């Protein structure tokens, strides 16, 4: 009989099972975790939206800066337009990334926020209604079985204690038989004690077996009730996981610009613009505007006309008397898509002699530092002026304008009475200082 109680013991090395009393708390906690994960997802999307906005802003700033540098630089013609198309690409891509940011914030974050509000109902005194309902459901399902389990544990303990007493009594009886000092009467009492312990152990065993049987009878109903409550928790989690999958697919759609038709169009247009650049047309344009193809006012005999205002010569100062306005019709200057940095930043004289050597320009006008497209910082402060008279440029580096036309003076008057300015059309050149007045 001794030692047989072990077969009824519940194994001590069982896993931390859901079925054990109180272990349903992990299923209840999942409700709180789901609400927190919604907050985490919204925070994740908000951070990504900031990244998209910052990238778009950087693309725009980069495009604006380099567009100005290219337009003011020496590149010209169709290749210039192809280069500028890269800036256009950046501007359009920037717009798409701003759209990504707006979609993440206005659609995805709002969608998660609204679903969270509908799925989790905050109670007045802490916690969520869904978690409370699950906790109460598990407690109700577990209560009868937990009561029976407690009774069985008490019966098991009593049985084990009775078995222990039986072993001790048997050991004392065995020792009494080997000791001469133990009288026959004492040995009889030790034997009676062993018999009584055996009877007590048997009764405790029967009680333990009965309580275990009652617990086992209660177990199927306990499992069914617990599974019903757990299934309700599972249904709520199914809704959360399904929603999360759909939300992530929407996020992927907003992030994946390759699925956006506008994104593909940007690069088709960029490629088309680059391929449309024509080397021969660019060379022809440069020849006509800066080479042998340019128009030249070859020297011709002119009669003296005292009524015609003469522009100040470039080799001597103009007269102090105000000029007489010209009534000649002035043709507008030839158009071009880009003005070279030489024309914008250097004042050239078309007159030369054997004593005057043309200025040489190194390939790097900034001493090897900085961007070669940067404007010369030595020019004076720009000032708006208005033409007092018509003036027709006589040379390629001179401006042509009408009386009343406004332009920008970019350099102050030099010793010979000439200023450098820029028309609103973007053309830059020289003009006589006494033909304009400040606005």
């Amino acid at each position: 009989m001794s030692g047989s109680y072990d077969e009824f013991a519940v194994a001590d090395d069982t896993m931390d099972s859901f079925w054990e009393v109180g272990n349903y708390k992990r299923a209840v906690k999942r409700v709180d975790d789901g609400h927190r994960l919604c907050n985490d997802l919204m925070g994740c999307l908000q951070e990504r939206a900031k990244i998209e906005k910052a990238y778009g802003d950087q693309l725009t700033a980069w495009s604006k800066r380099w567009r100005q540098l290219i337009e003011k630089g020496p590149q010209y013609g169709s290749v210039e337009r192809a280069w500028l198309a890269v800036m256009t690409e950046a501007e359009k891509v920037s717009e798409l990334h701003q759209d990504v940011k707006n979609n993440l914030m206005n659609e995805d974050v709002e969608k998660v926020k609204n679903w969270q509000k509908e799925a989790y109902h905050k109670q007045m005194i802490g916690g969520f209604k869904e978690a409370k309902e699950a906790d109460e459901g598990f407690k109700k399902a577990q209560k009868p079985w937990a009561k029976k389990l407690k009774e069985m544990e008490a019966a098991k303990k009593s049985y084990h204690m009775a078995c222990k007493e039986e072993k001790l009594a048997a050991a004392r009886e065995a020792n009494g038989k080997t000791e001469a000092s133990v009288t026959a009467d004492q040995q009889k009492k030790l034997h009676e004690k062993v018999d009584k312990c055996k009877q007590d152990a048997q009764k405790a065993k029967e009680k333990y077996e009965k309580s275990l049987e009652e617990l086992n009878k209660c177990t199927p109903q306990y499992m069914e009730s617990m599974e019903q409550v757990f299934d309700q928790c599972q249904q709520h989690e199914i809704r959360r996981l399904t929603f999360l999958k759909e939300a992530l697919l929407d996020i992927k759609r907003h992030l994946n610009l390759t699925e956006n038709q506008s994104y593909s169009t940007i690069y088709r247009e960029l490629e088309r613009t680059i391929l449309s650049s024509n080397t021969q047309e660019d060379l022809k344009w440069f020849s006509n505007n800066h080479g042998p193809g340019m128009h030249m006012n070859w020297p011709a005999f002119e009669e003296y006309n005292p009524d015609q205002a003469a522009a100040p010569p470039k080799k001597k100062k103009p007269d102090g008397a105000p000029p007489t306005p010209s009534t000649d019709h002035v043709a507008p200057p030839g158009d071009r898509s880009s003005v070279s940095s030489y024309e914008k930043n250097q004042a050239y004289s078309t007159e030369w002699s054997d004593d005057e050597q043309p200025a040489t320009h190194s390939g790097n006008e900034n001493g090897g530092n900085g961007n070669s497209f940067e404007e010369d910082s030595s020019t004076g402060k720009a000032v708006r002026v208005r033409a007092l008279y018509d003036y027709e440029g006589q040379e390629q580096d001179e401006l042509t304008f009408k009386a009343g036309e406004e332009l920008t003076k970019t350099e102050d008057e030099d010793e010979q009475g000439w200023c450098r300015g820029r028309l609103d059309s973007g053309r830059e050149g020289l003009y006589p200082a006494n033909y304009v007045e400040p606005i």
Side-chain angles (χ1 to χ4, degrees):
M1 184 69 182
S2 62
S4 61
Y5 69 91
D6 291 334
E7 63 185 276
F8 300 102
V10 179
D12 294 332
D13 58 350
T14 54
M15 295 179 61
D16 188 17
S17 173
F18 162 78
W19 300 106
E20 293 183 14
V21 176
N23 281 351
Y24 64 83
K25 295 290 185 183
R26 291 172 296 187
V28 176
K29 184 177 180 295
R30 189 170 57 170
V31 176
D32 297 322
D33 291 341
H35 184 274
R36 180 178 61 81
L37 288 170
C38 288
N39 290 334
D40 290 346
L41 179 57
M42 287 187 285
C44 175
L45 296 179
Q46 288 166 351
E47 286 189 17
R48 179 59 184 267
K50 289 181 180 179
I51 294 173
E52 296 291 334
K53 181 180 185 302
Y55 179 55
D57 291 343
Q58 289 176 350
L59 279 179
T60 300
W62 173 82
S63 173
K64 181 179 180 181
R65 177 174 180 271
W66 278 96
R67 182 180 291 279
Q68 292 174 348
L69 293 176
I70 295 166
E71 289 174 344
K72 294 177 182 179
Q75 186 58 60
Y76 56 89
S78 60
V79 173
E80 180 188 26
R81 291 193 295 273
W83 193 348
L84 289 173
V86 177
M87 306 305 109
T88 302
E89 174 269 342
E91 293 164 1
K92 292 182 177 180
V93 171
S94 172
E95 292 177 0
L96 291 180
H97 281 280
Q98 296 293 350
D99 289 341
V100 171
K101 171 254 180 183
N102 292 332
N103 289 334
L104 290 175
M105 293 299 297
N106 299 333
E107 293 188 25
D108 298 326
V109 171
E110 286 299 316
K111 183 176 182 180
V112 175
K113 184 186 295 183
N114 292 334
W115 186 88
Q116 182 191 46
K117 186 176 180 180
E118 293 175 359
Y120 301 93
H121 300 85
K122 195 78 173 178
Q123 296 186 121
M124 294 294 293
I125 308 177
F128 298 99
K129 176 184 177 183
E130 291 72 20
K132 182 180 179 181
E133 290 177 350
D135 185 71
E136 290 177 348
F138 281 123
K139 282 182 178 178
K140 183 178 180 180
Q142 201 168 65
K143 187 176 181 180
W145 189 85
K147 182 179 179 181
K148 294 292 184 182
L149 177 66
K150 188 176 180 180
E151 293 173 355
M152 185 275 295
E153 291 289 349
K156 180 178 71 171
K157 185 177 180 181
S158 297
Y159 170 58
H160 290 175
M161 290 297 295
C163 290
K164 183 178 180 181
E165 289 295 328
E166 180 187 353
K167 283 187 176 183
L168 290 174
R172 285 194 293 268
E173 181 185 19
N175 292 334
K177 290 179 179 180
T178 60
E179 294 180 4
S181 60
V182 178
T183 65
D185 186 55
Q186 289 176 330
Q187 288 181 355
K188 181 180 179 182
K189 288 182 178 179
L190 289 174
H191 181 73
E192 290 176 352
K193 178 66 174 178
V194 171
D195 289 341
K196 184 176 185 304
C197 287
K198 284 183 178 180
Q199 293 175 2
D200 291 343
Q202 181 62 32
K203 291 179 181 179
K205 179 183 177 182
E206 292 174 356
K207 185 176 181 181
Y208 175 31
E209 289 175 335
K210 183 178 180 181
S211 64
L212 184 59
E213 183 182 356
E214 291 178 354
L215 179 65
N216 290 335
K217 288 180 180 179
C218 184
T219 297
Q221 180 62 41
Y222 162 65
M223 295 178 66
E224 181 180 352
S225 300
M226 290 288 285
E227 287 177 349
Q228 288 178 354
V229 181
F230 185 77
D231 286 342
Q232 293 175 3
C233 295
Q234 290 288 78
Q235 291 301 317
H236 190 274
E237 183 67 2
I238 287 173
R239 290 194 293 272
R240 187 187 73 85
L241 295 176
T242 302
F243 166 77
L244 185 61
K245 180 179 179 179
E246 294 173 353
L248 290 173
L249 286 174
D250 287 340
I251 294 167
K252 171 260 179 186
R253 178 171 53 84
H254 292 148
L255 294 176
N256 188 4
L257 293 180
T258 60
E259 294 182 356
N260 190 319
Q261 292 300 322
S262 300
Y263 190 72
S264 301
T265 302
I266 290 173
Y267 293 98
R268 285 197 298 268
E269 292 177 353
L270 175 59
E271 182 180 19
R272 185 164 53 248
T273 304
I274 294 172
L275 293 176
S276 67
S277 60
N278 189 308
T279 302
Q280 294 303 319
E281 287 184 3
D282 289 356
L283 295 174
K284 181 179 179 181
W285 178 91
F286 191 87
S287 176
N288 291 337
N289 287 271
H290 300 286
M294 294 180 66
H295 171 73
M296 174 63 181
N297 291 325
W298 299 105
F301 180 81
E302 297 182 9
E303 292 290 348
Y304 171 69
N305 185 355
D307 296 330
Q308 182 176 6
K314 294 186 179 180
K315 295 303 179 183
K316 59 183 179 180
K317 291 183 179 180
D319 295 333
T324 303
S326 171
T327 58
D328 296 340
H329 174 72
V330 180
D335 186 20
R336 55 161 293 181
S337 63
S338 174
V339 181
S340 73
S341 60
Y342 288 168
E343 184 178 351
K344 293 179 180 178
N345 299 329
Q346 302 292 337
Y348 294 131
S349 171
T350 57
E351 299 181 13
W352 58 278
S353 66
D354 293 339
D355 297 331
E356 295 177 337
Q357 298 298 328
T360 60
H361 300 275
S362 65
N364 190 343
E365 297 178 1
N366 295 329
N369 296 323
N371 192 301
S372 62
F373 288 173
E374 298 288 359
E375 289 188 278
D376 187 356
S377 61
S378 64
T379 57
K381 184 178 181 181
V383 177
R384 294 290 289 177
V385 296
R386 181 183 292 109
L388 295 171
Y389 319 104
D390 293 351
Y391 179 71
E392 181 176 1
Q394 301 300 311
E395 298 180 8
Q396 290 300 318
D397 62 345
E398 296 179 15
L399 296 178
T400 297
F401 47 74
K402 295 285 188 179
E405 184 176 349
E406 295 182 2
L407 60 151
T408 301
K409 181 179 74 172
T410 58
E411 294 183 12
D412 294 333
E413 180 180 353
D414 61 17
E415 296 179 353
Q416 297 171 348
W418 291 87
C419 289
R420 174 167 288 277
R422 181 173 64 251
L423 299 176
D424 291 344
S425 64
R427 180 174 176 81
E428 294 193 15
L430 302 173
Y431 64 88
N434 55 0
Y435 269 56
V436 301
E437 64 176 357
I439 298 177

